[in-house]
Amino acid sequence: MTNTLDRRTLLTAAALGTTASLVGATAMGSLAPETAFAARSQSPEPGAPDPNFAEGRVTARDGSLILVSGSDGRLHRIRLTGGTSIWKLRPTTLDQVKVGDGLYARGVLMPDGTLAAESVWVNIVNLKVHVTAIGRNVLHLDHNGQKIVGHVVPGTSAAVYNGTAAVSDLSMLKVGKHAQVIGAWRPDTNEIDVATIYAAA
């Protein structure tokens, strides 16, 4: 008899401590920051919150348990396992998650109300912007009338021009043009670190 283990069963077992070893969550799904904004595969009842998704600001951390205050006023308890993928501008580890960070998490809701996280995106933003100025390793952006400072991080920031493959060369960005930026917000500022900027060449 072949035993297959789906993502939900694997995360449930990992959160309950019943698996001897756990494969990395990147083997189960994408850690790409774009995935945080993808359509959800399961729809909750109309008007009801998705029980397998949490968002908000980190208020406390106790080992692998993160407490998050949601923008809707709910308090989320999020358990990270050895198989949880964490993104904060790039794939990273739990020790990089700080109190005050913004967070999106997807996973499996456990019977005790804790979300066993499959993927966590820390401080992620997805902004449609207008490029107002370009400096050395910095982009000045306008997002719905708000000024945003986008920091270009050498070795990390990339550009996608006209839907082609991502490249590290941002020299084809043009002042006055529109773009879409996925990046990591610097909490309580108008600044972000750029992960990927999508623009026309």
Side-chain angles (χ1 to χ4, degrees), residues 41-179:
S41 60
Q42 295 178 331
S43 298
E45 293 293 321
D50 183 344
N52 298 313
F53 178 80
E55 61 76 33
R57 297 282 299 263
V58 176
T59 58
R61 208 181 90 203
D62 182 11
S64 64
L65 182 68
I66 298 174
L67 299 180
V68 174
S69 179
S71 61
D72 61 0
R74 293 188 305 151
L75 181 63
H76 302 281
R77 291 178 304 138
I78 301 170
R79 172 77 60 197
L80 279 65
T81 70
T84 303
S85 297
I86 304 170
W87 182 93
K88 189 175 184 179
L89 187 62
R90 62 185 66 84
T92 191
T93 56
L94 173 61
D95 61 315
Q96 296 301 307
V97 180
K98 309 291 183 201
V99 170
D101 281 341
L103 179 142
Y104 289 100
R106 284 199 181 144
V108 177
L109 187 64
M110 304 304 294
D112 68 356
T114 301
L115 182 70
E118 170 188 333
S119 299
V120 172
W121 296 271
V122 181
N123 296 330
I124 191 167
V125 294
N126 181 3
L127 306 172
K128 292 190 177 175
V129 299
H130 182 87
V131 180
T132 59
I134 300 173
R136 181 173 169 79
N137 289 331
V138 68
L139 303 172
H140 295 276
L141 310 167
D142 178 276
H143 172 67
N144 296 331
Q146 296 184 349
K147 295 184 184 318
I148 305 289
V149 177
H151 297 276
V152 176
V153 180
T156 298
S157 298
V160 173
Y161 300 106
N162 302 324
T164 60
V167 295
S168 60
D169 178 9
L170 276 63
S171 67
M172 291 190 284
L173 293 175
K174 294 181 177 38
V175 172
K177 296 293 185 178
H178 292 279

Side-chain angles (χ1 to χ4, degrees), residues 6-59:
D6 67 12
R7 182 183 305 215
R8 185 171 301 272
T9 304
L10 181 63
L11 283 169
T12 301
L16 296 175
T18 59
T19 57
S21 64
L22 188 62
V23 296
T26 52
M28 298 187 296
S30 175
L31 183 58
E34 295 83 354
T35 307
F37 301 104
R40 296 183 183 106
S41 60
Q42 295 178 331
S43 298
E45 293 293 321
D50 183 344
N52 298 313
F53 178 80
E55 61 76 33
R57 297 282 299 263
V58 176
T59 58

